Amino acid sequence: MATFYGTEVASRLMLGTAQYPSPAILADAFRRSGAGIATVSVRRESGGERAGAAFWDLVKELGVRVLPNTAGCHSVREAVTTAQMARELFDTPWIKLEVIGHADTLQPDPFGLVEAARILTDEGFQVFPYTTEDVVLADRLLEAGCEVLMPWGAPIGTGLGLTNIYGLRTLRAQFPDVPMVVDAGLGLPSQAAMAMEMGYDAVLLNTAVAKAGDPAAMAEGFARAVEAGRLAFEADPMEPRDMAAPSTPVIGKAFLE
Amino acid sequence: MTLRATIVGAGVAGLCVAAELSARNVEVTVLDRAEHPGPHGCSWWAGGMLAPFCEGETAEEPVVRLGQEAAGWWERQGVEGTRNGSLVVALGRDRRELDRFARRTEGHRTLGRDELAELEPQLEGRFDRALHFPDEAHLSPRDALGHLREALEARGVRFVSPENRPQGSACPVEGREAPILGDGSGAARAVGPDGGAERPGHWTFDCRGLAARDVLPDLRGVKGEMAVLRAPDVELHRPVRLLHPRYPLYIVPRGDGVFMLGATQIESGERGRATVRSVLELLSAAYALHPAFGEAELLEVGVDARPAFPDNLPRLRRRGDTIHVNGLFRHGFLLAPALARMAAEYVCDGKTPEVMDENHG
């Protein structure tokens, strides 16, 4: 069980809810993967008279915990307002905080992120900040009151996998007790498995599943990889070594000729 | 016995059902508040691409198969369409999107730089590769709606506003809240050929689109924003789709230098308020397709919400004497002909349609 802000979650796979061919296929992906948490963007879909309500109701009907996000927010103020709206809509103190600093790479704005995290934790939010693998930034976010970190694997939607393995290992090692979720940039289940093998507590992805030819099958593939990676981490893997060491002893083996 | 039908709503669904029924000698009355097709209905804002193969990238199989009826159907109604195929392109760094699109669709061939230049000389040098779907077509939705309505009137189909509907005719629809009811007039019933089920002699077809949410709670709105440009310097002969991971766009030539740019797809039932962000995205994508769009005149920005069921597939739903024809999503002009055919086959021949998910007689 992974624990985020005191809440235990059975599945270590979190899925986004955008870009699926239809809400029915989105629901299939959740069913087949058993994903435990759904992230939902509230900014873009907002509008007068709760115009996005029909879709939000479909997400609520998935029966999983909802983690609303501030996707696409480019300023502290925008992110804070969106978080406040999300709290009302989904009746949860959880917020995945995105403050985008660069339009093309969608790289987080580290300065705005810390500022927004501080404002939101002061207001009683439980913040899941979308961050980079930078350890100094991680430290500042923890200081600001975050109890979970969500470092990226690669820029959002790229499917490049873990582009800075060294950085992610360092981050994990520096804060062994902080729940951490690799969020964004994953394209394949093997990449998710790798993040889990490194000791990350969960992974979050969207595009890799939503844009697959068969989203539900891909979601299940990720769920199995996440499980495999976690099992491997808990099993304490062997260390790689240079010297070959056969698993069957050669001494005493009969000559074949 | 002459079958009678009251059709509620004169968008693309209602008009297509009226056409199919009147072709089978059903006496048809269409209830619609407006005198003419116009911006009050979401069909008005459609792209008018009859592109079943391209839609197959994300849509499920019935869309591809049933959509192939559309081009011929509109031609038979006398609607002037263009059978010139369609093109799919991607900008430099998104080229792999083209491979993915090709893998997930059928009915296309890959064009190299020269072949593309032959088809669309103005795109010469802008893309080194394109997908060509030669069997696709496009039409102008507004012309098609107007033409079909006139043709139906000429064939004796009556169009009346709900306030003036004749006494005893079915279907109160003045307000969104008004329930759609069966005929209730005790009209004569006939026995259907599908095994004796009682069949009314007067049917009501609810073709109100999103307004039918009052009785179809699983219907939702999917907001779409579009723009119309006049760009006399640009010449395109067929719809072009630009694949982009964030801002997918299509451009449909309307003739006389006018182009329709579409369309956003946002999970929201909002029917007004095109946002600056969306319009920026549409215009930027058009500019990326061809810089001459930078000098275009912005004629119109449109917005409406498409009616969709959770799987984004259309449905026929029978409840008593009423058949709901709905959920056409972004496939109004593409799928309304097939849906209308199936609705007419059901009431005239007793043939149960594949898209009928409820059948309560």
Side-chain angles (χ1 to χ4, degrees):
Chain A
M1 286 268 192
T3 306
F4 305 105
Y5 289 102
T7 299
E8 288 195 337
V9 182
S11 167
R12 293 174 182 273
L13 176 63
M14 307 181 179
L15 288 180
T17 54
Q19 306 182 63
Y20 289 79
S22 71
I25 291 173
L26 161 71
D28 274 352
F30 272 85
R31 263 193 298 274
R32 264 183 81 172
S33 66
I37 292 177
T39 64
V40 191
S41 159
V42 290
R43 191 189 54 85
R44 182 87 199 251
E45 280 73 16
S46 66
E49 48 198 274
R50 294 174 55 80
F55 181 72
W56 295 328
D57 286 345
L58 287 168
V59 172
K60 287 177 194 165
E61 283 166 20
L62 296 173
V64 300
R65 230 191 130 97
V66 175
L67 173 60
N69 68 53
T70 64
C73 289
H74 287 253
S75 73
V76 172
R77 180 191 284 261
E78 200 184 356
V80 168
T81 313
T82 305
Q84 289 161 341
M85 192 165 79
R87 177 157 66 178
E88 249 172 66
L89 283 168
F90 291 99
D91 195 25
T92 172
W94 281 15
I95 187 76
K96 183 190 145 187
L97 179 62
E98 272 184 37
V99 183
I100 299 301
H102 189 246
D104 195 60
T105 60
L106 302 178
Q107 182 158 340
D109 168 358
F111 311 99
L113 187 63
V114 173
E115 191 186 337
R118 188 167 290 127
I119 295 169
L120 290 171
T121 44
D122 284 350
E123 289 186 17
F125 281 92
Q126 295 173 339
V127 178
F128 295 63
Y130 168 61
T131 180
T132 65
E133 69 281 0
D134 189 294
V135 284
V136 180
L137 175 54
D139 200 38
R140 296 288 187 278
L141 288 167
L142 296 172
E143 265 175 33
C146 297
E147 293 175 23
V148 176
L149 295 174
M150 295 186 123
W152 64 356
I156 297 171
T158 56
L160 291 172
L162 310 180
T163 50
N164 182 357
I165 291 169
Y166 163 76
L168 285 168
R169 275 195 210 289
T170 308
L171 181 68
R172 181 70 279 184
Q174 288 297 313
F175 307 99
D177 302 324
V178 176
M180 283 194 220
V181 183
V182 169
D183 171 15
L186 300 184
L188 286 169
S190 54
Q191 298 157 355
M194 189 170 186
M196 298 306 295
E197 287 161 8
M198 288 161 68
Y200 280 88
D201 296 272
V203 298
L204 194 164
L205 50 113
N206 188 344
T207 311
V209 166
K211 291 292 192 189
D214 183 344
M218 188 59 89
E220 187 183 338
F222 269 100
R224 293 192 194 187
V226 165
E227 218 179 305
R230 181 66 192 180
L231 278 172
F233 172 71
E234 288 171 352
D236 189 13
M238 66 171 282
E239 293 298 330
R241 59 191 165 201
D242 292 336
M243 172 69 189
S247 49
T248 314
V250 280
I251 296 170
K253 193 173 174 189
F255 288 104
L256 292 175
E257 225 170 315
Chain B
M1 186 186 70
T2 305
L3 268 179
R4 288 190 297 146
T6 301
I7 294 170
V8 191
V12 67
L15 292 178
C16 287
V17 171
E20 283 290 312
L21 289 173
S22 76
R24 288 171 171 77
N25 299 315
V26 178
E27 195 185 305
V28 179
T29 304
V30 181
L31 299 188
D32 190 46
R33 254 171 299 198
E35 303 256 321
H36 306 284
H40 50 276
C42 99
S43 308
W44 188 254
W45 306 105
M49 285 189 297
L50 305 177
F53 300 106
C54 282
E55 289 300 312
E57 187 226 352
T58 50
E60 295 187 51
E61 183 274 338
V63 175
V64 180
R65 175 167 43 85
L66 298 174
Q68 291 177 49
E69 294 179 26
W73 191 90
W74 287 105
E75 270 170 16
R76 288 194 297 281
Q77 309 306 314
V79 168
E80 200 184 322
T82 309
R83 282 196 193 237
N84 243 349
S86 50
L87 282 175
V88 180
V89 296
L91 294 166
R93 69 174 179 178
D94 307 323
R95 239 172 279 163
R96 285 150 114 187
E97 297 285 319
L98 209 57
D99 299 329
R100 184 186 49 80
F101 199 95
R103 274 202 314 273
R104 293 188 189 169
T105 52
E106 51 191 73
H108 56 73
R109 61 195 185 104
T110 301
L111 304 182
R113 184 181 286 260
D114 297 341
E115 294 162 298
L116 175 62
E118 237 168 75
L119 268 189
E120 292 292 358
Q122 287 209 342
L123 296 183
E124 179 168 13
R126 302 199 55 74
F127 304 94
D128 53 12
R129 231 158 31 104
L131 295 177
H132 181 216
F133 292 74
D135 298 327
E136 298 190 329
H138 65 283
L139 50 72
S140 160
R142 296 174 187 181
D143 294 345
L145 292 169
H147 175 92
L148 190 51
R149 182 161 174 157
E150 277 170 30
L152 288 168
E153 279 171 327
R155 250 146 68 185
V157 172
R158 288 184 311 156
F159 285 80
V160 292
S161 119
E163 295 81 43
N164 306 328
R165 73 176 185 278
Q167 283 294 315
S169 81
C171 219
V173 284
E174 283 80 2
R176 218 188 218 181
E177 289 75 29
I180 288 291
L181 300 173
D183 184 347
S185 61
R189 285 165 180 271
V191 173
D194 60 342
E198 204 181 8
R199 308 185 72 79
H202 188 162
W203 291 90
T204 296
F205 291 85
D206 177 359
C207 302
R208 291 176 299 154
L210 201 52
R213 261 187 307 190
D214 54 356
V215 285
L216 303 174
D218 52 344
L219 201 62
R220 75 186 198 288
V222 182
K223 182 176 172 180
E225 291 141 303
M226 56 83 93
V228 182
L229 306 182
R230 177 177 288 125
D233 296 341
V234 183
E235 202 182 345
L236 294 174
H237 304 89
R238 50 188 61 72
V240 180
R241 289 181 194 233
L242 178 66
L243 303 181
H244 188 283
R246 280 189 234 169
Y247 317 125
L249 168 91
Y250 59 79
I251 295 190
V252 190
R254 292 269 192 262
D256 298 327
V258 175
F259 297 86
M260 182 270 187
L261 314 185
T264 57
Q265 199 165 301
I266 300 171
E267 287 290 344
S268 163
E270 195 173 55
R271 298 192 56 200
R273 207 181 69 100
T275 63
V276 167
R277 180 190 306 272
S278 294
V279 177
L280 261 177
E281 288 173 4
L282 289 174
L283 298 181
S284 306
Y287 183 66
L289 183 81
H290 200 299
F293 280 114
E295 291 302 315
E297 177 187 356
L298 185 51
L299 296 178
E300 203 178 341
V301 170
V303 57
D304 210 324
R306 317 162 175 99
F309 288 111
D311 57 4
N312 293 344
L313 290 174
R315 304 265 201 287
L316 296 175
R317 219 171 246 184
R318 179 184 172 191
R319 291 175 184 169
D321 301 349
T322 297
I323 295 176
H324 299 276
V325 183
N326 218 320
L328 284 156
F329 184 46
R330 52 180 278 158
H331 303 129
F333 285 81
L334 184 66
L335 294 186
L339 225 62
R341 168 183 59 74
M342 289 188 269
E345 284 172 355
Y346 178 69
V347 300
C348 298
D349 314 326
K351 195 169 153 192
T352 302
E354 61 173 279
V355 298
M356 183 170 269
D357 70 335
E358 252 184 57
N359 189 350
H360 304 300

